[in-house]
Structure formats: structure tokens, C-alpha cells
Amino acid sequence: MPDWTAESEAAFDAYVDALIGVIGHADRAEPLKDYCLGLLMPIERKSVEPLAAVTAPSRVSAKHQSLLHFVGQAPWSDAALLARVRDWVLPQIEQRGPIRAWIVDDTGFPKKGKHSVGVARQYCGQLGKQDNCQIAVSLSIANDAASLPIAYELYLPHSWAEDTEQRKKAKIPAEITFRTKPQIALEQIRTAKAGGVAPGVVLADAGYGADGGFRAGLSELGLTYVVGVQPTLSVWRPGESPLPPKPWSGRGRPPSRVGRTDNHKPISAKALAEEFDAETWRTIAWREGTNTELNSRFAAVRLRPASRDYNRPEAHAQEWLLIEWPEGEVEPSKYWLSALPADATITQLVDAAKLRWRIERDYQELKQELGLGHYEGRGWRGFHHHASLCIAAYGFLVSLRETIPPSTPTRAQGRQTPGLPDGYRPRRSSDPTRAARPDLDPNPQATPDCGPGQPSATMSVLHKGNGQSASGSQFMTQ
């Protein structure tokens, strides 16, 4: 184990002890601690076998079987573990300010085979194209200082949801049926609200915001949102509405739906943006980037969405339409619908919309530093257990960053890192001599160099307010 400060070592022990209570049997305490510890170690591959080798080098086989059972078979609750992580970490996050946002997103894991649960040919953001992959939907809470995933679920395509044999092999619970990604996200949000999680503005990209049922569900829950939409979104011009139902002729059923005519009809969000004059656009800055202030041109107007309102007895409520059109671009780049109050300023709208970048930081660290996509099992339970433990390890990093100031000067004699067995080389790994051994000091003086593809100092995430990810790179921007 890398050298720890006295504060970080005590914090890790207390953190894991708090999680043990929701795991169930007492004999799961050791694998829980070892699994989380292994995920924090600077090893290249964080599947079960390398985790066993780095946490118990003198008895790799026995530890491998213990961790394999713990993550792949043991019937502990992912929801209970994530709730305990949330309850532990949330007060630390809120020391820097109240929760501002609930961020919805999904992430993909490319797969070569077809037998891992949920694998199908679908769009994978990591590859930027359609390919064989798994997709998981998550919900994170965030303020300006930190963020934390609090819900995580695999998206199960139709081909899996309706295949009895595949479901049996992957041990997919009977209650899991096909749901769209927006439906999964909305259920995660309902659960969070019922659990008393501090509310925030719901943020999501156009994959969710373009779903009218998702937006309606958020409104029914009394939540505000700023969600991406497509440029083809049908809207009424500011000040316009659909026509009221036609007068009843006295025959048949009275008309009950709003209408439109050839001379009175909605237009697309893109067409509306192209009608704006130069004075409508304002340059707004939202935060500091890697080398400069991030800013762009925006316009915001109050209007009514027109999506399928011809099937409704009344018009949709007024919302904000926020549009980004960067200087020098031939057309707008992004569109958002927002249920923020009518007196919200354009700066507030931009600030909320752009806070969604924090989910990119979450996934960057979960994948690059904590091995979120490294699990090699094929079953439903193992996929979610591994992800929950990665989020638990990430929660420890977030809480430590918030509670131990980077100016802490005193270094304690830490526990020694157990060495790997002589000649050990995990499957799918490159040369292990490239592996770094960074310190877990919240304020290290230097970051060791790492070879290509090797995670750098995981604990550099502990730099409070340094604007960098655990890999040392600047947080990803919109």
C-alpha cells in the first residue's frame, strides 16, 4: 500500500467501516476493504485478478476467489451501498456550498464479445460511433466544487430484455424489463427525491431532454431543469401560442384540442435562432478553462414548446429556450429547454447548463483512475457490484479532498505497499515496470512519471481546488 498521511489512513478506515454496515455478513468486510483499496492503487488493470495480486501478493489465488465471489455472487445491495456513500460524502461536498444540480448522463464500455450482460450494437460515446458496447445510465449530485454519482444502472436493450436464455445466463432479475434511458433516469430521480436527497436543477443532454415524457416527468416531480434539445425542436415564436379549440358546431363531440393553420404554425428552434438579430446575442463567460476564460455567444427567450401540442387540450407552459452560437460558427451549436423561473437571467441559464461538465470529470476519473470499465465478468450482479465499488472508492477521494486541506505539511509513517509476486503480470496488461507508485499525500510535491496508458497519481485528485483530474489533466470542458 502506498505511503499515507495519518489523516488519510484514518479517513479510509473510518470510511470503509461506515460502508460495512450495509454489506451484510461480517465476512464481507475484508473483501470490501481490499476491493476498494485495490481500486485506489496505481495498477494498470483493475479487474479482480490484479486487485487480488496487489492486496494479497502472498496468497493471490485465495484472495482472487474471495474477491470474485464478493463482486460477482454475493447478494448485497448496490442501492444500499450507494446510499451510504452518498450519506457519508454529501456533508463533505456541502461544506463548499449547497447542491446545485442533479446531472443525468450515460457512459459506454466497448466490448469485443457478445456475451457480457447488455452488450449490443449501439451508439458508444467513448468511440463516437455505433459498435458493440454496454451502456449504463447514472445520476450525479453536484455543486461548483464537487460531484458524486448516486445511482447507476445498466441499460438493457430489447434484444436482451426479451431473450429468456440470455437473461438466465446473465442472471438478470425478473423485475428488470426493457426501459429507455430517459425512463431509467427518471426512476433514478424519483428514488433520489423519495430518499430526501438535497434537490438541484436537473441537467441532461439532448438524449434525455428531447424526450417529452422525461421533461413532463420532471415537472410532475416539481423539479426544475436545463436539458439539451435538438435544433429540430418545434417551438412557437415568443408571444405566440397554438390556436384555441374550434367552437363547437353543435354536432358531434365538442372540439377539445388546440390547433394550428398554414398561417399560424410553429417553427424549429434552429429556424428561430436564425431569425434573431445581432442584438439578441450576448457573450457570456461561465468559468475558467485550461488556459483561458470559457465564453461563447448565447441567446435566451421565453416561449412555448410546440411538440405534439395538437394532441393537447391546452398549450404547453412557457419555458426558456437557450441557444449557443459560437463566434465564427456557421450555425448554432447547442440548444436547451429550461424550466427555471421567468425571472432567471441569461447568465444563470448558461451557468446551470454548463455545470453539466462535471459528469465528464466523474467518468474520466472513474474510468481512467478507478477501473470502472475493467470488470471482466458477464453477469448483471457483478457489473453493478463492480461499478458500485468504483463509485465508493471515488466517494472516498471526494470526501478526502474536501476534509483534508492540501496545505497539510506533516507526513506520517504509513503502511507499506505489499509487493506483487515475482514475475506477476495480470492478463491484458502491458509491462508492469511502467506502473507508478504515487503517494497518497493530499499535497504531494511531485507526480511520478507514468508510462503510456498507465494511470498517473490517483491521489492527485486530492488537490483541493487545483482544477485537475486525478490523471493530472485539466477537467474536461464542454
Side-chain angles (χ1 to χ4, degrees), residues 93-272:
I93 293 177
E94 290 181 320
Q95 288 181 8
R96 305 280 299 280
I99 293 301
R100 290 187 54 211
W102 290 3
I103 308 176
V104 170
D105 205 1
D106 54 68
T107 190
F109 305 95
K111 293 287 183 179
K112 292 183 179 179
K114 298 181 180 179
H115 301 292
S116 294
V117 62
V119 166
R121 187 169 181 82
Q122 52 195 326
Y123 181 79
C124 178
Q126 182 174 323
L127 300 176
K129 63 178 182 179
Q130 288 218 347
D131 209 334
N132 252 28
C133 66
Q134 296 167 301
I135 302 291
V137 179
S138 69
L139 174 66
S140 292
I141 53 175
N143 60 16
D144 292 314
S147 54
L148 176 75
I150 61 170
Y152 187 90
E153 183 176 328
L154 179 69
Y155 164 71
L156 203 63
H158 273 295
S159 59
W160 275 85
E162 299 170 359
D163 190 317
T164 303
E165 188 62 27
Q166 281 187 313
R167 292 181 65 100
K168 183 178 179 180
K169 288 181 179 179
K171 298 182 179 178
I172 299 171
E175 65 270 17
I176 300 298
T177 59
F178 173 77
R179 290 179 297 163
T180 65
K181 299 182 190 74
Q183 287 171 337
I184 293 172
L186 195 56
E187 184 58 33
Q188 292 174 338
I189 291 168
R190 287 194 186 101
T191 301
K193 188 173 188 225
V197 179
V201 178
V202 177
L203 309 180
D205 65 19
Y208 297 85
D211 187 307
F214 178 73
R215 301 196 309 269
L218 296 179
S219 297
E220 289 171 5
L221 289 170
L223 297 172
T224 57
Y225 56 80
V226 180
V227 294
V229 291
Q230 299 292 348
T232 53
L233 175 73
S234 179
V235 298
W236 293 98
R237 290 180 176 86
E240 292 186 359
S241 297
L243 299 172
K246 294 179 180 179
W248 185 39
S249 65
R251 301 176 59 185
R253 182 177 298 175
S256 60
R257 297 174 181 173
V258 298
R260 56 187 68 172
T261 66
D262 289 342
N263 296 322
H264 185 83
K265 59 185 178 181
I267 61 173
S268 71
K270 181 180 178 181
L272 179 64

Side-chain angles (χ1 to χ4, degrees), residues 164-454:
T164 303
E165 188 62 27
Q166 281 187 313
R167 292 181 65 100
K168 183 178 179 180
K169 288 181 179 179
K171 298 182 179 178
I172 299 171
E175 65 270 17
I176 300 298
T177 59
F178 173 77
R179 290 179 297 163
T180 65
K181 299 182 190 74
Q183 287 171 337
I184 293 172
L186 195 56
E187 184 58 33
Q188 292 174 338
I189 291 168
R190 287 194 186 101
T191 301
K193 188 173 188 225
V197 179
V201 178
V202 177
L203 309 180
D205 65 19
Y208 297 85
D211 187 307
F214 178 73
R215 301 196 309 269
L218 296 179
S219 297
E220 289 171 5
L221 289 170
L223 297 172
T224 57
Y225 56 80
V226 180
V227 294
V229 291
Q230 299 292 348
T232 53
L233 175 73
S234 179
V235 298
W236 293 98
R237 290 180 176 86
E240 292 186 359
S241 297
L243 299 172
K246 294 179 180 179
W248 185 39
S249 65
R251 301 176 59 185
R253 182 177 298 175
S256 60
R257 297 174 181 173
V258 298
R260 56 187 68 172
T261 66
D262 289 342
N263 296 322
H264 185 83
K265 59 185 178 181
I267 61 173
S268 71
K270 181 180 178 181
L272 179 64
E274 292 172 341
E275 291 183 353
F276 293 160
D277 55 31
E279 287 71 29
T280 306
W281 300 94
R282 291 181 53 190
T283 299
I284 304 291
W286 60 91
R287 66 182 175 85
E288 291 294 326
T290 304
N291 299 312
T292 186
E293 183 181 68
L294 299 178
N295 64 73
S296 188
R297 292 195 315 155
F298 296 89
V301 291
R302 293 283 290 176
L303 48 67
R304 298 182 188 274
S307 304
R308 295 185 174 88
D309 60 3
Y310 46 77
N311 290 324
R312 292 169 52 88
E314 58 186 15
H316 290 290
Q318 283 196 347
E319 299 188 44
W320 285 104
L321 176 65
L322 176 68
I323 306 171
E324 179 179 0
W325 193 335
E327 190 76 38
E329 297 293 326
V330 297
E331 62 183 23
S333 60
K334 292 185 176 69
Y335 302 78
W336 297 267
L337 268 182
S338 174
L340 286 178
D343 60 356
T345 66
I346 187 171
T347 300
Q348 290 171 332
L349 290 167
V350 172
D351 185 49
K354 292 298 185 178
L355 186 59
R356 204 186 74 82
W357 71 272
R358 295 206 67 93
I359 193 66
E360 305 292 347
R361 200 283 301 268
D362 287 344
Y363 279 138
Q364 182 183 32
E365 294 185 5
L366 282 163
K367 287 185 173 183
Q368 295 181 7
E369 303 296 338
L370 298 169
L372 181 63
H374 292 180
Y375 183 65
E376 295 174 353
R378 295 176 174 177
W380 176 272
R381 178 172 287 169
F383 177 90
H384 290 90
H385 276 7
H386 175 76
S388 297
L389 293 164
C390 287
I391 293 170
Y394 182 60
F396 170 68
L397 296 182
V398 173
S399 65
L400 196 60
R401 181 177 59 210
E402 297 305 314
T403 55
I404 298 181
S407 58
T408 301
T410 304
R411 295 176 57 86
Q413 180 62 40
R415 291 175 278 183
Q416 294 298 311
T417 303
L420 292 173
D422 291 342
Y424 172 77
R425 187 168 179 175
R427 292 172 293 173
R428 302 188 184 182
S429 70
S430 56
D431 186 350
T433 60
R434 298 186 313 183
R437 290 287 174 156
D439 195 278
L440 290 184
D441 187 343
N443 190 31
Q445 297 302 309
T447 301
D449 291 332
C450 299
Q454 169 64 32

Side-chain angles (χ1 to χ4, degrees), residues 79-95:
L81 179 65
L82 292 180
R84 181 61 60 87
V85 170
R86 181 195 72 208
D87 291 344
W88 183 277
V89 179
L90 182 57
Q92 316 305 329
I93 293 177
E94 290 181 320
Q95 288 181 8

